[in-house]
Amino acid sequence: MTPVTRESVSKLYTFACLPQLLGLRDLLEELLVILRLAKEVKAFKNFQACQHAVELVVRVCRQNEGWIKSVNQEAPSSPSRRVKPDAGGDAAQFEPHDATGKGA
């Protein structure tokens, strides 16, 4: 039986977190699309309200990408477990990303 160490707990935590973070990435991209649609149908009181909403979501996107990067650094060297973070993050340009991680 393998002893429980700080490193083994960290690896288990890393293994469990990555799918959740990737799922969050997808949800945040969907939210940016919804915000864009809301802007087009003039659902916001003014442009500043839309801009504020987008900036808040972009902040969460950046934090999530940082977590993904952190988890990837802690993850085992297996290439199948590594995920390349999105290059997005500009509030002025909130385009959805396709499955390849590149802008649409």
Side-chain angles (χ1 to χ4, degrees), residues 53-101:
V54 169
E55 287 173 355
L56 291 175
V57 174
V58 167
R59 283 187 201 170
V60 176
C61 289
R62 288 182 179 152
Q63 180 66 56
N64 189 54
E65 290 302 319
W67 286 334
I68 290 172
K69 184 178 178 181
S70 173
V71 167
N72 275 332
Q73 289 173 350
E74 295 173 11
S77 302
S78 172
S80 63
R81 297 297 304 162
R82 291 213 175 272
V83 177
K84 186 175 182 181
D86 280 347
D90 184 8
Q93 177 187 3
F94 53 103
E95 294 288 331
H97 296 278
D98 61 15
T100 63

Side-chain angles (χ1 to χ4, degrees), residues 5-102:
T5 64
R6 179 179 239 176
E7 184 177 313
S8 65
V9 171
S10 177
K11 286 181 182 179
L12 180 61
Y13 174 78
T14 298
F15 181 77
C17 286
L18 188 58
Q20 298 298 320
L21 294 172
L22 296 176
L24 179 58
R25 176 195 280 173
D26 293 339
L27 291 173
L28 290 168
E29 289 177 359
E30 287 179 32
L31 184 54
L32 287 173
V33 170
I34 291 168
L35 289 173
R36 173 176 243 175
L37 291 173
K39 178 185 170 225
E40 289 179 10
V41 298
K42 301 187 186 325
F44 291 101
K45 186 174 181 178
N46 54 39
F47 177 74
Q48 288 78 19
C50 175
Q51 184 179 14
H52 182 69
V54 169
E55 287 173 355
L56 291 175
V57 174
V58 167
R59 283 187 201 170
V60 176
C61 289
R62 288 182 179 152
Q63 180 66 56
N64 189 54
E65 290 302 319
W67 286 334
I68 290 172
K69 184 178 178 181
S70 173
V71 167
N72 275 332
Q73 289 173 350
E74 295 173 11
S77 302
S78 172
S80 63
R81 297 297 304 162
R82 291 213 175 272
V83 177
K84 186 175 182 181
D86 280 347
D90 184 8
Q93 177 187 3
F94 53 103
E95 294 288 331
H97 296 278
D98 61 15
T100 63
K102 298 178 181 173

